Short mmCIF file of all heavy atoms in Angstrom, two decimals:
data_model
loop_
_atom_site.label_atom_id
_atom_site.label_comp_id
_atom_site.label_asym_id
_atom_site.label_seq_id
_atom_site.Cartn_x
_atom_site.Cartn_y
_atom_site.Cartn_z
N PHE N 395 -29.58 -42.48 -28.77
CA PHE N 395 -29.62 -41.00 -28.81
C PHE N 395 -31.02 -40.43 -28.93
O PHE N 395 -31.34 -39.40 -28.36
CB PHE N 395 -28.76 -40.51 -29.96
CG PHE N 395 -28.73 -38.99 -30.08
CD1 PHE N 395 -28.01 -38.27 -29.17
CD2 PHE N 395 -29.47 -38.38 -31.05
CE1 PHE N 395 -27.98 -36.87 -29.25
CE2 PHE N 395 -29.44 -36.99 -31.12
CZ PHE N 395 -28.69 -36.25 -30.26
N SER N 396 -31.92 -41.13 -29.66
CA SER N 396 -33.27 -40.61 -29.89
C SER N 396 -34.06 -40.56 -28.60
O SER N 396 -34.77 -39.63 -28.30
CB SER N 396 -34.00 -41.46 -30.89
OG SER N 396 -34.10 -42.80 -30.45
N VAL N 397 -33.94 -41.57 -27.74
CA VAL N 397 -34.64 -41.64 -26.44
C VAL N 397 -34.13 -40.45 -25.53
O VAL N 397 -34.90 -39.77 -24.92
CB VAL N 397 -34.45 -42.91 -25.72
CG1 VAL N 397 -35.06 -42.89 -24.32
CG2 VAL N 397 -35.08 -44.03 -26.51
N ALA N 398 -32.84 -40.30 -25.51
CA ALA N 398 -32.25 -39.23 -24.69
C ALA N 398 -32.74 -37.85 -25.14
O ALA N 398 -32.99 -36.97 -24.37
CB ALA N 398 -30.74 -39.33 -24.74
N GLN N 399 -32.84 -37.69 -26.50
CA GLN N 399 -33.21 -36.44 -27.04
C GLN N 399 -34.66 -36.08 -26.67
O GLN N 399 -35.00 -34.98 -26.31
CB GLN N 399 -33.08 -36.42 -28.57
CG GLN N 399 -33.34 -35.07 -29.23
CD GLN N 399 -33.10 -35.14 -30.72
OE1 GLN N 399 -33.33 -36.17 -31.32
NE2 GLN N 399 -32.63 -34.01 -31.27
N LYS N 400 -35.58 -37.09 -26.72
CA LYS N 400 -36.99 -36.84 -26.36
C LYS N 400 -37.11 -36.49 -24.89
O LYS N 400 -37.88 -35.65 -24.53
CB LYS N 400 -37.82 -38.09 -26.68
CG LYS N 400 -37.96 -38.35 -28.17
CD LYS N 400 -38.70 -39.67 -28.43
CE LYS N 400 -38.85 -39.93 -29.93
NZ LYS N 400 -39.60 -41.21 -30.19
N THR N 401 -36.36 -37.17 -24.08
CA THR N 401 -36.44 -36.89 -22.60
C THR N 401 -35.99 -35.43 -22.36
O THR N 401 -36.60 -34.73 -21.56
CB THR N 401 -35.54 -37.84 -21.86
OG1 THR N 401 -35.96 -39.19 -22.10
CG2 THR N 401 -35.56 -37.57 -20.33
N ARG N 402 -34.94 -35.02 -23.00
CA ARG N 402 -34.44 -33.65 -22.84
C ARG N 402 -35.46 -32.63 -23.31
O ARG N 402 -35.62 -31.57 -22.73
CB ARG N 402 -33.10 -33.44 -23.59
CG ARG N 402 -31.91 -34.12 -22.93
CD ARG N 402 -30.65 -33.60 -23.49
NE ARG N 402 -30.49 -33.78 -24.94
CZ ARG N 402 -30.04 -34.92 -25.46
NH1 ARG N 402 -29.64 -35.93 -24.70
NH2 ARG N 402 -29.95 -35.05 -26.78
N GLN N 403 -36.21 -32.94 -24.39
CA GLN N 403 -37.19 -32.01 -24.94
C GLN N 403 -38.32 -31.80 -23.93
O GLN N 403 -38.78 -30.70 -23.68
CB GLN N 403 -37.73 -32.51 -26.25
CG GLN N 403 -36.74 -32.43 -27.38
CD GLN N 403 -37.20 -33.08 -28.66
OE1 GLN N 403 -38.24 -33.83 -28.65
NE2 GLN N 403 -36.53 -32.82 -29.79
N ARG N 404 -38.84 -32.94 -23.33
CA ARG N 404 -39.92 -32.80 -22.37
C ARG N 404 -39.48 -32.04 -21.13
O ARG N 404 -40.17 -31.19 -20.59
CB ARG N 404 -40.39 -34.23 -21.91
CG ARG N 404 -41.23 -34.97 -23.03
CD ARG N 404 -41.97 -36.10 -22.42
NE ARG N 404 -41.04 -37.12 -21.89
CZ ARG N 404 -40.59 -38.16 -22.61
NH1 ARG N 404 -40.98 -38.29 -23.88
NH2 ARG N 404 -39.78 -39.03 -22.12
N THR N 405 -38.23 -32.33 -20.69
CA THR N 405 -37.69 -31.65 -19.51
C THR N 405 -37.55 -30.13 -19.79
O THR N 405 -37.91 -29.27 -18.94
CB THR N 405 -36.32 -32.20 -19.10
OG1 THR N 405 -36.50 -33.56 -18.88
CG2 THR N 405 -35.79 -31.51 -17.87
N SER N 406 -37.13 -29.74 -20.98
CA SER N 406 -36.96 -28.35 -21.32
C SER N 406 -38.26 -27.61 -21.36
O SER N 406 -38.38 -26.49 -20.90
CB SER N 406 -36.25 -28.25 -22.68
OG SER N 406 -34.96 -28.84 -22.64
N ALA N 407 -39.32 -28.27 -21.86
CA ALA N 407 -40.64 -27.62 -21.92
C ALA N 407 -41.20 -27.36 -20.50
O ALA N 407 -41.70 -26.27 -20.21
CB ALA N 407 -41.62 -28.49 -22.70
N LEU N 408 -41.04 -28.28 -19.60
CA LEU N 408 -41.53 -28.14 -18.24
C LEU N 408 -40.74 -27.03 -17.53
O LEU N 408 -41.31 -26.22 -16.82
CB LEU N 408 -41.36 -29.46 -17.48
CG LEU N 408 -41.86 -29.46 -16.03
CD1 LEU N 408 -43.32 -29.09 -15.95
CD2 LEU N 408 -41.62 -30.80 -15.35
N SER N 409 -39.39 -27.01 -17.76
CA SER N 409 -38.58 -25.98 -17.14
C SER N 409 -38.96 -24.58 -17.64
O SER N 409 -39.05 -23.66 -16.84
CB SER N 409 -37.10 -26.25 -17.42
OG SER N 409 -36.72 -27.52 -16.90
N ALA N 410 -39.23 -24.49 -18.89
CA ALA N 410 -39.61 -23.17 -19.46
C ALA N 410 -40.90 -22.62 -18.86
O ALA N 410 -41.05 -21.42 -18.51
CB ALA N 410 -39.74 -23.26 -20.99
N PHE N 411 -41.87 -23.53 -18.66
CA PHE N 411 -43.19 -23.10 -18.06
C PHE N 411 -42.97 -22.67 -16.61
O PHE N 411 -43.57 -21.72 -16.18
CB PHE N 411 -44.17 -24.28 -18.16
CG PHE N 411 -45.54 -23.93 -17.58
CD1 PHE N 411 -46.38 -23.09 -18.25
CD2 PHE N 411 -45.94 -24.45 -16.37
CE1 PHE N 411 -47.63 -22.73 -17.74
CE2 PHE N 411 -47.15 -24.13 -15.81
CZ PHE N 411 -48.03 -23.28 -16.51
N SER N 412 -42.12 -23.39 -15.87
CA SER N 412 -41.92 -23.03 -14.46
C SER N 412 -41.21 -21.69 -14.38
O SER N 412 -41.56 -20.87 -13.54
CB SER N 412 -41.00 -24.12 -13.80
OG SER N 412 -41.64 -25.40 -13.85
#
Side-chain angles (χ1 to χ4, degrees):
F395 179 75
S396 61
V397 174
Q399 186 178 32
K400 291 177 181 178
T401 301
R402 287 195 300 273
Q403 289 174 348
R404 287 196 296 269
T405 303
S406 299
L408 181 59
S409 299
F411 181 73
S412 300

